[in-house]
PDB file of all heavy atoms in Angstrom:
ATOM      1  N   SER A   1      48.393  93.993   7.052  1.00 50.00           N
ATOM      2  CA  SER A   1      48.811  92.680   6.567  1.00 50.00           C
ATOM      3  C   SER A   1      47.597  91.795   6.222  1.00 50.00           C
ATOM      4  O   SER A   1      47.722  90.799   5.557  1.00 50.00           O
ATOM      5  CB  SER A   1      49.680  91.975   7.602  1.00 50.00           C
ATOM      6  OG  SER A   1      48.912  91.666   8.746  1.00 50.00           O
ATOM      7  N   GLY A   2      46.404  92.207   6.725  1.00 52.00           N
ATOM      8  CA  GLY A   2      45.197  91.449   6.400  1.00 52.00           C
ATOM      9  C   GLY A   2      45.271  90.026   6.912  1.00 52.00           C
ATOM     10  O   GLY A   2      45.830  89.762   7.965  1.00 52.00           O
ATOM     11  N   SER A   3      44.694  89.105   6.161  1.00 51.00           N
ATOM     12  CA  SER A   3      44.663  87.706   6.626  1.00 51.00           C
ATOM     13  C   SER A   3      45.649  86.833   5.884  1.00 51.00           C
ATOM     14  O   SER A   3      45.713  85.641   6.120  1.00 51.00           O
ATOM     15  CB  SER A   3      43.231  87.152   6.413  1.00 51.00           C
ATOM     16  OG  SER A   3      42.900  87.210   5.049  1.00 51.00           O
ATOM     17  N   HIS A   4      46.447  87.412   4.946  1.00 50.00           N
ATOM     18  CA  HIS A   4      47.347  86.555   4.188  1.00 50.00           C
ATOM     19  C   HIS A   4      48.552  86.150   5.034  1.00 50.00           C
ATOM     20  O   HIS A   4      48.919  86.826   5.962  1.00 50.00           O
ATOM     21  CB  HIS A   4      47.827  87.249   2.898  1.00 50.00           C
ATOM     22  CG  HIS A   4      48.719  88.431   3.150  1.00 50.00           C
ATOM     23  ND1 HIS A   4      48.234  89.685   3.495  1.00 50.00           N
ATOM     24  CD2 HIS A   4      50.068  88.543   3.148  1.00 50.00           C
ATOM     25  CE1 HIS A   4      49.239  90.507   3.662  1.00 50.00           C
ATOM     26  NE2 HIS A   4      50.352  89.845   3.469  1.00 50.00           N
ATOM     27  N   ARG A   5      49.171  85.016   4.660  1.00 51.00           N
ATOM     28  CA  ARG A   5      50.300  84.493   5.406  1.00 51.00           C
ATOM     29  C   ARG A   5      51.580  85.085   4.841  1.00 51.00           C
ATOM     30  O   ARG A   5      52.070  84.677   3.810  1.00 51.00           O
ATOM     31  CB  ARG A   5      50.379  82.970   5.269  1.00 51.00           C
ATOM     32  CG  ARG A   5      49.076  82.241   5.532  1.00 51.00           C
ATOM     33  CD  ARG A   5      48.652  82.334   6.979  1.00 51.00           C
ATOM     34  NE  ARG A   5      49.586  81.693   7.869  1.00 51.00           N
ATOM     35  CZ  ARG A   5      49.566  80.378   8.128  1.00 51.00           C
ATOM     36  NH1 ARG A   5      48.709  79.597   7.534  1.00 51.00           N
ATOM     37  NH2 ARG A   5      50.446  79.855   8.960  1.00 51.00           N
ATOM     38  N   ASP A   6      52.148  86.095   5.512  1.00 50.00           N
ATOM     39  CA  ASP A   6      53.360  86.715   5.007  1.00 50.00           C
ATOM     40  C   ASP A   6      54.566  86.215   5.795  1.00 50.00           C
ATOM     41  O   ASP A   6      54.468  85.328   6.627  1.00 50.00           O
ATOM     42  CB  ASP A   6      53.275  88.257   5.081  1.00 50.00           C
ATOM     43  CG  ASP A   6      52.928  88.753   6.494  1.00 50.00           C
ATOM     44  OD1 ASP A   6      53.030  87.933   7.435  1.00 50.00           O
ATOM     45  OD2 ASP A   6      52.578  89.929   6.642  1.00 50.00           O
ATOM     46  N   VAL A   7      55.732  86.791   5.501  1.00 50.00           N
ATOM     47  CA  VAL A   7      56.977  86.326   6.132  1.00 50.00           C
ATOM     48  C   VAL A   7      56.902  86.520   7.641  1.00 50.00           C
ATOM     49  O   VAL A   7      57.327  85.658   8.421  1.00 50.00           O
ATOM     50  CB  VAL A   7      58.190  87.058   5.555  1.00 50.00           C
ATOM     51  CG1 VAL A   7      59.453  86.689   6.334  1.00 50.00           C
ATOM     52  CG2 VAL A   7      58.371  86.710   4.082  1.00 50.00           C
ATOM     53  N   GLU A   8      56.358  87.667   8.067  1.00 51.00           N
ATOM     54  CA  GLU A   8      56.269  87.954   9.491  1.00 51.00           C
ATOM     55  C   GLU A   8      55.432  86.886  10.194  1.00 51.00           C
ATOM     56  O   GLU A   8      55.758  86.413  11.297  1.00 51.00           O
ATOM     57  CB  GLU A   8      55.656  89.325   9.700  1.00 51.00           C
ATOM     58  CG  GLU A   8      55.560  89.751  11.168  1.00 51.00           C
ATOM     59  CD  GLU A   8      54.971  91.134  11.338  1.00 51.00           C
ATOM     60  OE1 GLU A   8      54.949  91.883  10.340  1.00 51.00           O
ATOM     61  OE2 GLU A   8      54.514  91.442  12.455  1.00 51.00           O
ATOM     62  N   ASP A   9      54.343  86.474   9.534  1.00 65.00           N
ATOM     63  CA  ASP A   9      53.471  85.436  10.091  1.00 65.00           C
ATOM     64  C   ASP A   9      54.205  84.124  10.206  1.00 65.00           C
ATOM     65  O   ASP A   9      54.085  83.396  11.186  1.00 65.00           O
ATOM     66  CB  ASP A   9      52.231  85.312   9.200  1.00 65.00           C
ATOM     67  CG  ASP A   9      51.206  84.354   9.800  1.00 65.00           C
ATOM     68  OD1 ASP A   9      50.962  84.466  10.996  1.00 65.00           O
ATOM     69  OD2 ASP A   9      50.650  83.534   9.062  1.00 65.00           O
ATOM     70  N   GLU A  10      55.007  83.813   9.178  1.00 66.00           N
ATOM     71  CA  GLU A  10      55.775  82.576   9.182  1.00 66.00           C
ATOM     72  C   GLU A  10      56.739  82.527  10.351  1.00 66.00           C
ATOM     73  O   GLU A  10      56.921  81.506  10.997  1.00 66.00           O
ATOM     74  CB  GLU A  10      56.551  82.425   7.875  1.00 66.00           C
ATOM     75  CG  GLU A  10      57.364  81.145   7.812  1.00 66.00           C
ATOM     76  CD  GLU A  10      58.318  81.111   6.645  1.00 66.00           C
ATOM     77  OE1 GLU A  10      57.976  81.630   5.587  1.00 66.00           O
ATOM     78  OE2 GLU A  10      59.422  80.572   6.842  1.00 66.00           O
ATOM     79  N   GLU A  11      57.343  83.677  10.677  1.00 71.00           N
ATOM     80  CA  GLU A  11      58.296  83.723  11.769  1.00 71.00           C
ATOM     81  C   GLU A  11      57.645  83.417  13.098  1.00 71.00           C
ATOM     82  O   GLU A  11      58.304  82.996  14.054  1.00 71.00           O
ATOM     83  CB  GLU A  11      58.955  85.117  11.842  1.00 71.00           C
ATOM     84  CG  GLU A  11      59.893  85.405  10.695  1.00 71.00           C
ATOM     85  CD  GLU A  11      60.485  86.799  10.811  1.00 71.00           C
ATOM     86  OE1 GLU A  11      60.071  87.532  11.718  1.00 71.00           O
ATOM     87  OE2 GLU A  11      61.333  87.139   9.977  1.00 71.00           O
ATOM     88  N   LEU A  12      56.327  83.620  13.211  1.00 85.00           N
ATOM     89  CA  LEU A  12      55.636  83.478  14.487  1.00 85.00           C
ATOM     90  C   LEU A  12      54.849  82.185  14.600  1.00 85.00           C
ATOM     91  O   LEU A  12      54.318  81.882  15.670  1.00 85.00           O
ATOM     92  CB  LEU A  12      54.682  84.651  14.697  1.00 85.00           C
ATOM     93  CG  LEU A  12      55.334  86.038  14.698  1.00 85.00           C
ATOM     94  CD1 LEU A  12      54.259  87.119  14.756  1.00 85.00           C
ATOM     95  CD2 LEU A  12      56.298  86.186  15.865  1.00 85.00           C
ATOM     96  N   THR A  13      54.762  81.393  13.544  1.00 91.00           N
ATOM     97  CA  THR A  13      53.950  80.169  13.597  1.00 91.00           C
ATOM     98  C   THR A  13      54.766  78.891  13.464  1.00 91.00           C
ATOM     99  O   THR A  13      54.248  77.807  13.708  1.00 91.00           O
ATOM    100  CB  THR A  13      52.877  80.164  12.480  1.00 91.00           C
ATOM    101  OG1 THR A  13      53.528  80.334  11.216  1.00 91.00           O
ATOM    102  CG2 THR A  13      51.884  81.285  12.665  1.00 91.00           C
ATOM    103  N   ARG A  14      56.049  78.992  13.085  1.00 91.00           N
ATOM    104  CA  ARG A  14      56.861  77.791  12.850  1.00 91.00           C
ATOM    105  C   ARG A  14      57.851  77.645  14.019  1.00 91.00           C
ATOM    106  O   ARG A  14      58.586  78.568  14.338  1.00 91.00           O
ATOM    107  CB  ARG A  14      57.623  77.947  11.541  1.00 91.00           C
ATOM    108  CG  ARG A  14      57.861  76.629  10.826  1.00 91.00           C
ATOM    109  CD  ARG A  14      58.210  76.878   9.363  1.00 91.00           C
ATOM    110  NE  ARG A  14      59.399  77.681   9.186  1.00 91.00           N
ATOM    111  CZ  ARG A  14      60.559  77.228   8.743  1.00 91.00           C
ATOM    112  NH1 ARG A  14      60.685  75.962   8.435  1.00 91.00           N
ATOM    113  NH2 ARG A  14      61.580  78.041   8.578  1.00 91.00           N
ATOM    114  N   ILE A  15      57.855  76.465  14.666  1.00 91.00           N
ATOM    115  CA  ILE A  15      58.800  76.246  15.752  1.00 91.00           C
ATOM    116  C   ILE A  15      59.796  75.144  15.359  1.00 91.00           C
ATOM    117  O   ILE A  15      59.520  74.298  14.502  1.00 91.00           O
ATOM    118  CB  ILE A  15      58.081  75.891  17.081  1.00 91.00           C
ATOM    119  CG1 ILE A  15      57.381  74.513  16.998  1.00 91.00           C
ATOM    120  CG2 ILE A  15      57.093  76.966  17.455  1.00 91.00           C
ATOM    121  CD1 ILE A  15      56.847  74.028  18.328  1.00 91.00           C
ATOM    122  N   PHE A  16      60.939  75.190  16.009  1.00 91.00           N
ATOM    123  CA  PHE A  16      62.046  74.268  15.739  1.00 91.00           C
ATOM    124  C   PHE A  16      62.303  73.477  16.998  1.00 91.00           C
ATOM    125  O   PHE A  16      62.404  74.056  18.093  1.00 91.00           O
ATOM    126  CB  PHE A  16      63.284  75.128  15.374  1.00 91.00           C
ATOM    127  CG  PHE A  16      64.414  74.352  14.779  1.00 91.00           C
ATOM    128  CD1 PHE A  16      64.313  73.774  13.530  1.00 91.00           C
ATOM    129  CD2 PHE A  16      65.629  74.249  15.453  1.00 91.00           C
ATOM    130  CE1 PHE A  16      65.389  73.091  12.957  1.00 91.00           C
ATOM    131  CE2 PHE A  16      66.712  73.575  14.895  1.00 91.00           C
ATOM    132  CZ  PHE A  16      66.579  73.002  13.648  1.00 91.00           C
ATOM    133  N   VAL A  17      62.351  72.162  16.911  1.00 93.00           N
ATOM    134  CA  VAL A  17      62.462  71.326  18.102  1.00 93.00           C
ATOM    135  C   VAL A  17      63.537  70.252  17.959  1.00 93.00           C
ATOM    136  O   VAL A  17      63.862  69.830  16.839  1.00 93.00           O
ATOM    137  CB  VAL A  17      61.107  70.657  18.434  1.00 93.00           C
ATOM    138  CG1 VAL A  17      60.065  71.671  18.816  1.00 93.00           C
ATOM    139  CG2 VAL A  17      60.610  69.809  17.269  1.00 93.00           C
ATOM    140  N   MET A  18      64.077  69.832  19.092  1.00 92.00           N
ATOM    141  CA  MET A  18      65.035  68.729  19.147  1.00 92.00           C
ATOM    142  C   MET A  18      64.246  67.479  19.560  1.00 92.00           C
ATOM    143  O   MET A  18      63.531  67.490  20.554  1.00 92.00           O
ATOM    144  CB  MET A  18      66.118  69.061  20.176  1.00 92.00           C
ATOM    145  CG  MET A  18      67.235  68.053  20.223  1.00 92.00           C
ATOM    146  SD  MET A  18      68.503  68.526  21.455  1.00 92.00           S
ATOM    147  CE  MET A  18      69.378  69.783  20.545  1.00 92.00           C
ATOM    148  N   ILE A  19      64.389  66.398  18.796  1.00 93.00           N
ATOM    149  CA  ILE A  19      63.597  65.200  19.027  1.00 93.00           C
ATOM    150  C   ILE A  19      64.490  63.952  18.980  1.00 93.00           C
ATOM    151  O   ILE A  19      65.586  63.991  18.400  1.00 93.00           O
ATOM    152  CB  ILE A  19      62.495  65.049  17.959  1.00 93.00           C
ATOM    153  CG1 ILE A  19      63.111  65.092  16.541  1.00 93.00           C
ATOM    154  CG2 ILE A  19      61.439  66.147  18.123  1.00 93.00           C
ATOM    155  CD1 ILE A  19      62.118  64.878  15.420  1.00 93.00           C
ATOM    156  N   PRO A  20      64.021  62.841  19.554  1.00 93.00           N
ATOM    157  CA  PRO A  20      64.767  61.584  19.387  1.00 93.00           C
ATOM    158  C   PRO A  20      64.822  61.212  17.911  1.00 93.00           C
ATOM    159  O   PRO A  20      63.878  61.446  17.157  1.00 93.00           O
ATOM    160  CB  PRO A  20      63.939  60.567  20.189  1.00 93.00           C
ATOM    161  CG  PRO A  20      63.177  61.406  21.181  1.00 93.00           C
ATOM    162  CD  PRO A  20      62.879  62.707  20.468  1.00 93.00           C
ATOM    163  N   LYS A  21      65.916  60.585  17.498  1.00 91.00           N
ATOM    164  CA  LYS A  21      66.071  60.240  16.090  1.00 91.00           C
ATOM    165  C   LYS A  21      65.103  59.153  15.623  1.00 91.00           C
ATOM    166  O   LYS A  21      64.918  58.951  14.416  1.00 91.00           O
ATOM    167  CB  LYS A  21      67.529  59.786  15.826  1.00 91.00           C
ATOM    168  CG  LYS A  21      68.525  60.928  15.918  1.00 91.00           C
ATOM    169  CD  LYS A  21      69.928  60.471  15.577  1.00 91.00           C
ATOM    170  CE  LYS A  21      70.899  61.631  15.619  1.00 91.00           C
ATOM    171  NZ  LYS A  21      72.265  61.245  15.270  1.00 91.00           N
ATOM    172  N   SER A  22      64.452  58.498  16.562  1.00 93.00           N
ATOM    173  CA  SER A  22      63.494  57.455  16.200  1.00 93.00           C
ATOM    174  C   SER A  22      62.132  58.037  15.820  1.00 93.00           C
ATOM    175  O   SER A  22      61.280  57.338  15.296  1.00 93.00           O
ATOM    176  CB  SER A  22      63.313  56.477  17.366  1.00 93.00           C
ATOM    177  OG  SER A  22      62.865  57.176  18.521  1.00 93.00           O
ATOM    178  N   TYR A  23      61.902  59.331  16.090  1.00 94.00           N
ATOM    179  CA  TYR A  23      60.600  59.951  15.848  1.00 94.00           C
ATOM    180  C   TYR A  23      60.255  59.979  14.353  1.00 94.00           C
ATOM    181  O   TYR A  23      61.114  60.285  13.502  1.00 94.00           O
ATOM    182  CB  TYR A  23      60.592  61.384  16.357  1.00 94.00           C
ATOM    183  CG  TYR A  23      60.055  61.553  17.765  1.00 94.00           C
ATOM    184  CD1 TYR A  23      60.285  60.563  18.736  1.00 94.00           C
ATOM    185  CD2 TYR A  23      59.326  62.669  18.117  1.00 94.00           C
ATOM    186  CE1 TYR A  23      59.791  60.728  20.023  1.00 94.00           C
ATOM    187  CE2 TYR A  23      58.851  62.847  19.419  1.00 94.00           C
ATOM    188  CZ  TYR A  23      59.082  61.872  20.371  1.00 94.00           C
ATOM    189  OH  TYR A  23      58.608  62.031  21.640  1.00 94.00           O
ATOM    190  N   THR A  24      58.997  59.697  14.041  1.00 93.00           N
ATOM    191  CA  THR A  24      58.458  59.914  12.703  1.00 93.00           C
ATOM    192  C   THR A  24      57.690  61.226  12.724  1.00 93.00           C
ATOM    193  O   THR A  24      57.455  61.806  13.792  1.00 93.00           O
ATOM    194  CB  THR A  24      57.513  58.783  12.312  1.00 93.00           C
ATOM    195  OG1 THR A  24      56.370  58.796  13.208  1.00 93.00           O
ATOM    196  CG2 THR A  24      58.189  57.426  12.399  1.00 93.00           C
ATOM    197  N   GLU A  25      57.267  61.690  11.545  1.00 94.00           N
ATOM    198  CA  GLU A  25      56.473  62.932  11.482  1.00 94.00           C
ATOM    199  C   GLU A  25      55.161  62.749  12.247  1.00 94.00           C
ATOM    200  O   GLU A  25      54.654  63.693  12.837  1.00 94.00           O
ATOM    201  CB  GLU A  25      56.217  63.315  10.035  1.00 94.00           C
ATOM    202  CG  GLU A  25      57.482  63.804   9.332  1.00 94.00           C
ATOM    203  CD  GLU A  25      57.245  64.249   7.898  1.00 94.00           C
ATOM    204  OE1 GLU A  25      56.077  64.205   7.446  1.00 94.00           O
ATOM    205  OE2 GLU A  25      58.228  64.627   7.233  1.00 94.00           O
ATOM    206  N   GLU A  26      54.617  61.539  12.218  1.00 94.00           N
ATOM    207  CA  GLU A  26      53.387  61.271  12.955  1.00 94.00           C
ATOM    208  C   GLU A  26      53.605  61.360  14.455  1.00 94.00           C
ATOM    209  O   GLU A  26      52.754  61.880  15.189  1.00 94.00           O
ATOM    210  CB  GLU A  26      52.849  59.876  12.573  1.00 94.00           C
ATOM    211  CG  GLU A  26      51.416  59.615  13.051  1.00 94.00           C
ATOM    212  CD  GLU A  26      50.431  60.668  12.586  1.00 94.00           C
ATOM    213  OE1 GLU A  26      50.471  61.090  11.410  1.00 94.00           O
ATOM    214  OE2 GLU A  26      49.594  61.063  13.417  1.00 94.00           O
ATOM    215  N   ASP A  27      54.760  60.866  14.933  1.00 94.00           N
ATOM    216  CA  ASP A  27      55.087  60.989  16.351  1.00 94.00           C
ATOM    217  C   ASP A  27      55.174  62.472  16.739  1.00 94.00           C
ATOM    218  O   ASP A  27      54.702  62.868  17.804  1.00 94.00           O
ATOM    219  CB  ASP A  27      56.435  60.302  16.656  1.00 94.00           C
ATOM    220  CG  ASP A  27      56.385  58.806  16.477  1.00 94.00           C
ATOM    221  OD1 ASP A  27      55.314  58.220  16.712  1.00 94.00           O
ATOM    222  OD2 ASP A  27      57.416  58.228  16.117  1.00 94.00           O
ATOM    223  N   LEU A  28      55.831  63.241  15.886  1.00 95.00           N
ATOM    224  CA  LEU A  28      56.003  64.677  16.150  1.00 95.00           C
ATOM    225  C   LEU A  28      54.653  65.393  16.198  1.00 95.00           C
ATOM    226  O   LEU A  28      54.398  66.178  17.115  1.00 95.00           O
ATOM    227  CB  LEU A  28      56.871  65.289  15.047  1.00 95.00           C
ATOM    228  CG  LEU A  28      57.316  66.744  15.218  1.00 95.00           C
ATOM    229  CD1 LEU A  28      58.051  66.947  16.521  1.00 95.00           C
ATOM    230  CD2 LEU A  28      58.210  67.154  14.044  1.00 95.00           C
ATOM    231  N   ARG A  29      53.781  65.059  15.259  1.00 95.00           N
ATOM    232  CA  ARG A  29      52.429  65.657  15.241  1.00 95.00           C
ATOM    233  C   ARG A  29      51.653  65.273  16.490  1.00 95.00           C
ATOM    234  O   ARG A  29      50.971  66.123  17.104  1.00 95.00           O
ATOM    235  CB  ARG A  29      51.683  65.203  13.991  1.00 95.00           C
ATOM    236  CG  ARG A  29      50.295  65.791  13.848  1.00 95.00           C
ATOM    237  CD  ARG A  29      49.598  65.273  12.594  1.00 95.00           C
ATOM    238  NE  ARG A  29      50.247  65.784  11.398  1.00 95.00           N
ATOM    239  CZ  ARG A  29      49.915  66.944  10.818  1.00 95.00           C
ATOM    240  NH1 ARG A  29      48.976  67.699  11.341  1.00 95.00           N
ATOM    241  NH2 ARG A  29      50.543  67.325   9.719  1.00 95.00           N
ATOM    242  N   GLU A  30      51.775  64.022  16.890  1.00 95.00           N
ATOM    243  CA  GLU A  30      51.054  63.533  18.071  1.00 95.00           C
ATOM    244  C   GLU A  30      51.475  64.273  19.337  1.00 95.00           C
ATOM    245  O   GLU A  30      50.635  64.590  20.183  1.00 95.00           O
ATOM    246  CB  GLU A  30      51.320  62.026  18.222  1.00 95.00           C
ATOM    247  CG  GLU A  30      50.428  61.324  19.225  1.00 95.00           C
ATOM    248  CD  GLU A  30      48.949  61.315  18.803  1.00 95.00           C
ATOM    249  OE1 GLU A  30      48.656  61.324  17.588  1.00 95.00           O
ATOM    250  OE2 GLU A  30      48.105  61.281  19.724  1.00 95.00           O
ATOM    251  N   LYS A  31      52.770  64.561  19.454  1.00 94.00           N
ATOM    252  CA  LYS A  31      53.303  65.253  20.629  1.00 94.00           C
ATOM    253  C   LYS A  31      52.867  66.710  20.709  1.00 94.00           C
ATOM    254  O   LYS A  31      52.736  67.269  21.800  1.00 94.00           O
ATOM    255  CB  LYS A  31      54.834  65.191  20.645  1.00 94.00           C
ATOM    256  CG  LYS A  31      55.402  63.840  21.037  1.00 94.00           C
ATOM    257  CD  LYS A  31      55.180  63.548  22.515  1.00 94.00           C
ATOM    258  CE  LYS A  31      55.849  62.229  22.912  1.00 94.00           C
ATOM    259  NZ  LYS A  31      55.588  61.928  24.344  1.00 94.00           N
ATOM    260  N   PHE A  32      52.680  67.353  19.550  1.00 96.00           N
ATOM    261  CA  PHE A  32      52.455  68.791  19.543  1.00 96.00           C
ATOM    262  C   PHE A  32      51.036  69.235  19.149  1.00 96.00           C
ATOM    263  O   PHE A  32      50.730  70.409  19.183  1.00 96.00           O
ATOM    264  CB  PHE A  32      53.498  69.497  18.651  1.00 96.00           C
ATOM    265  CG  PHE A  32      54.836  69.594  19.279  1.00 96.00           C
ATOM    266  CD1 PHE A  32      55.753  68.568  19.173  1.00 96.00           C
ATOM    267  CD2 PHE A  32      55.192  70.726  20.009  1.00 96.00           C
ATOM    268  CE1 PHE A  32      56.999  68.649  19.785  1.00 96.00           C
ATOM    269  CE2 PHE A  32      56.427  70.821  20.629  1.00 96.00           C
ATOM    270  CZ  PHE A  32      57.345  69.786  20.523  1.00 96.00           C
ATOM    271  N   LYS A  33      50.165  68.268  18.806  1.00 95.00           N
ATOM    272  CA  LYS A  33      48.821  68.656  18.373  1.00 95.00           C
ATOM    273  C   LYS A  33      47.967  69.189  19.510  1.00 95.00           C
ATOM    274  O   LYS A  33      46.975  69.891  19.271  1.00 95.00           O
ATOM    275  CB  LYS A  33      48.127  67.466  17.705  1.00 95.00           C
ATOM    276  CG  LYS A  33      47.774  66.324  18.662  1.00 95.00           C
ATOM    277  CD  LYS A  33      47.074  65.196  17.902  1.00 95.00           C
ATOM    278  CE  LYS A  33      46.637  64.078  18.856  1.00 95.00           C
ATOM    279  NZ  LYS A  33      45.987  62.969  18.130  1.00 95.00           N
ATOM    280  N   MET A  34      48.336  68.910  20.759  1.00 94.00           N
ATOM    281  CA  MET A  34      47.555  69.385  21.900  1.00 94.00           C
ATOM    282  C   MET A  34      47.617  70.903  22.056  1.00 94.00           C
ATOM    283  O   MET A  34      46.794  71.499  22.753  1.00 94.00           O
ATOM    284  CB  MET A  34      48.032  68.699  23.174  1.00 94.00           C
ATOM    285  CG  MET A  34      49.414  69.119  23.631  1.00 94.00           C
ATOM    286  SD  MET A  34      49.936  68.270  25.151  1.00 94.00           S
ATOM    287  CE  MET A  34      50.277  66.629  24.520  1.00 94.00           C
ATOM    288  N   TYR A  35      48.599  71.548  21.411  1.00 94.00           N
ATOM    289  CA  TYR A  35      48.773  72.989  21.596  1.00 94.00           C
ATOM    290  C   TYR A  35      48.062  73.814  20.538  1.00 94.00           C
ATOM    291  O   TYR A  35      47.977  75.027  20.657  1.00 94.00           O
ATOM    292  CB  TYR A  35      50.258  73.358  21.616  1.00 94.00           C
ATOM    293  CG  TYR A  35      51.033  72.529  22.611  1.00 94.00           C
ATOM    294  CD1 TYR A  35      52.000  71.608  22.193  1.00 94.00           C
ATOM    295  CD2 TYR A  35      50.773  72.607  23.967  1.00 94.00           C
ATOM    296  CE1 TYR A  35      52.696  70.823  23.099  1.00 94.00           C
ATOM    297  CE2 TYR A  35      51.454  71.825  24.885  1.00 94.00           C
ATOM    298  CZ  TYR A  35      52.418  70.930  24.442  1.00 94.00           C
ATOM    299  OH  TYR A  35      53.094  70.146  25.336  1.00 94.00           O
ATOM    300  N   GLY A  36      47.545  73.173  19.490  1.00 94.00           N
ATOM    301  CA  GLY A  36      46.819  73.928  18.462  1.00 94.00           C
ATOM    302  C   GLY A  36      46.749  73.168  17.149  1.00 94.00           C
ATOM    303  O   GLY A  36      47.203  72.028  17.033  1.00 94.00           O
TER     304      GLY A  36
END
């Protein structure tokens, strides 16, 4: 697969989360940036 981003890679790098409806994308980034 080399270094390119294929479908298999996408399945392992994208997560789905439940958040308060008041959250902005910046809030979401702030909460999860500590992990990578």
Side-chain angles (χ1 to χ4, degrees):
S1 67
S3 60
H4 68 278
R5 311 292 297 276
D6 54 14
V7 173
E8 182 179 342
D9 186 43
E10 180 190 325
E11 290 179 355
L12 301 174
T13 56
R14 211 162 60 109
I15 68 172
F16 193 68
V17 295
M18 185 179 283
I19 55 176
K21 290 184 178 180
S22 58
Y23 266 35
T24 64
E25 290 182 2
E26 192 55 43
D27 293 328
L28 187 56
R29 182 181 291 272
E30 191 66 29
K31 285 289 184 182
F32 283 87
K33 69 180 183 181
M34 69 180 74
Y35 307 114

